[in-house]
């Protein structure tokens, strides 16, 4: 069971985006106005009415847990160093997002749209384009993650259209960029912190993401914070 925080407990806006799928133009514009305010004030917001199946979300968490619980040798079989398009497993402390801080205490798994090696886009070296690496003997993992990738990609398209409206543009303004866009599904596992961490050591250092938008699905553990540029302070973003 997931328990959603009430708006009264949140310092970040919670936006019901179901109106973006409405045939009523005024309903779509009403959501777009909320998106604009959230982006101008915080750059980060919660969404409800996203339309992603709750059973699929539960399966994503379950399969992710199963994968990261494997022996390191098994996970290393599909290390993303073997990939030409940044797909596969990334071990603990392989990434440092905050300059001057110790490496991040997280491990990851990268997935994208499945594109064969003989595809012209792969042959041309297109960024982040190529075949995925999948755990051997885990067909359910692959099935779940591919279905979730498609669902999240569709959700991203809906939000991008809403953001176009928020900028007083036609909602199809960015559609050309959404065709065959480079998108990544990244599973993240944050193991327990060490009892005596190094100065500045944390699960994930301060950073901003590149690209269009990031959709973040949290489990119940919490720990996420968002930087408020106006007050130069950190805001908790509870699950």
């Amino acid at each position: 069971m997931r328990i959603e925080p009430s708006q009264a407990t949140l310092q970040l806006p919670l936006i019901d985006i179901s109106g973006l799928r409405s045939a009523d133009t005024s309903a779509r514009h009403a959501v777009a106005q909320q998106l604009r305010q959230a982006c101008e004030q915080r750059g980060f917001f919660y969404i409800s009415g996203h339309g992603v199946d709750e059973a699929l979300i539960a399966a994503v968490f379950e399969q992710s847990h199963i994968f990261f619980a494997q022996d390191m040798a098994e996970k290393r079989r599909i290390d993303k160093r073997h990939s030409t398009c940044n797909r596969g497993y990334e071990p603990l402390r392989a990434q440092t997002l905050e300059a001057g801080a110790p490496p991040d205490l997280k491990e990851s798994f990268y997935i994208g749209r499945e594109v064969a090696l003989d595809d012209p886009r792969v042959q041309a070296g297109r960024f982040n384009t190529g075949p995925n690496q999948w755990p051997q003997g885990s067909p359910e993992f692959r099935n779940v993650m591919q279905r979730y990738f498609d669902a999240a990609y569709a959700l991203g398209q809906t939000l991008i259209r809403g953001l176009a409206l928020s900028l007083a543009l036609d909602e199809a303004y960015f559609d050309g960029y959404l065709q065959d866009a480079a998108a990544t599904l990244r599973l993240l596992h944050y193991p327990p912190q060490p009892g005596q961490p190094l100065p500045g050591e944390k699960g994930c250092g301060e950073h901003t993401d590149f690209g269009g938008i990031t959709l973040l699905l949290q489990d119940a553990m919490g720990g996420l914070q968002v930087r408020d540029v106006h007050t130069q302070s950190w805001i908790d973003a509870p699950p």
Side-chain angles (χ1 to χ4, degrees):
M1 180 177 66
R2 296 197 309 163
I3 301 175
E4 305 292 348
S6 69
Q7 183 61 67
T9 67
L10 300 177
Q11 298 182 65
L12 296 165
L14 172 60
I15 303 172
D16 181 353
I17 67 163
S18 56
L20 292 177
R21 302 185 184 90
S22 173
D24 183 353
T25 303
S26 62
R28 301 199 301 276
H29 279 276
V31 177
Q33 182 59 34
Q34 294 180 68
L35 294 176
R36 182 183 182 109
Q37 292 175 352
C39 289
E40 288 179 340
Q41 295 171 6
R42 293 287 191 235
F44 197 103
F45 51 89
Y46 293 90
I47 61 171
S48 62
H50 49 71
V52 181
D53 182 53
E54 291 291 338
L56 177 58
I57 289 174
V60 168
F61 281 128
E62 179 185 16
Q63 291 300 315
S64 179
H65 175 78
I66 291 171
F67 172 78
F68 286 118
Q70 294 181 107
D71 292 339
M72 181 59 66
E74 193 64 31
K75 290 183 285 191
R76 284 284 197 177
R77 290 178 186 272
I78 48 177
D79 195 301
K80 76 184 188 75
R81 292 180 300 175
H82 306 317
S83 171
T84 59
C85 57
N86 202 49
R87 308 285 174 79
Y89 175 70
E90 183 176 65
L92 202 67
R93 295 187 171 91
Q95 186 177 49
T96 304
L97 287 175
E98 184 175 332
D104 294 344
L105 292 172
K106 66 178 187 298
E107 54 181 344
S108 313
F109 190 81
Y110 294 77
I111 304 163
R113 194 173 299 284
E114 192 73 40
V115 183
L117 286 173
D118 59 358
D119 187 283
R121 294 166 294 177
V122 179
Q123 295 293 314
R126 185 175 184 264
F127 172 73
N128 200 37
T129 303
N132 290 296
Q133 298 191 86
W134 298 106
Q136 294 298 310
S138 301
E140 188 174 358
F141 178 91
R142 177 171 182 168
N143 176 267
V144 166
M145 297 309 166
Q146 286 184 316
R147 287 192 293 123
Y148 183 69
F149 179 95
D150 290 342
Y153 193 94
L155 174 57
Q157 290 178 311
T158 299
L159 279 170
I160 290 289
R161 288 189 166 195
L163 290 170
L165 284 179
S166 80
L167 296 169
L169 300 169
D170 185 279
E171 59 191 316
Y173 185 86
F174 297 115
D175 279 8
Y177 296 99
L178 299 176
Q179 300 302 315
D180 194 31
T184 300
L185 168 59
R186 187 181 185 191
L187 310 178
L188 290 162
H189 172 230
Y190 298 92
Q193 297 281 307
Q196 295 181 322
L198 298 172
E201 191 172 38
K202 57 184 75 72
C204 184
E206 179 179 358
H207 67 283
T208 56
D209 289 350
F210 74 95
I213 58 172
T214 296
L215 305 177
L216 178 59
L217 173 63
Q218 293 192 78
D219 64 11
M221 297 301 293
L224 176 67
Q225 292 184 315
V226 177
R227 184 74 168 174
D228 187 325
V229 296
H230 302 295
T231 65
Q232 295 300 302
S233 61
W234 289 97
I235 300 171
D236 288 333

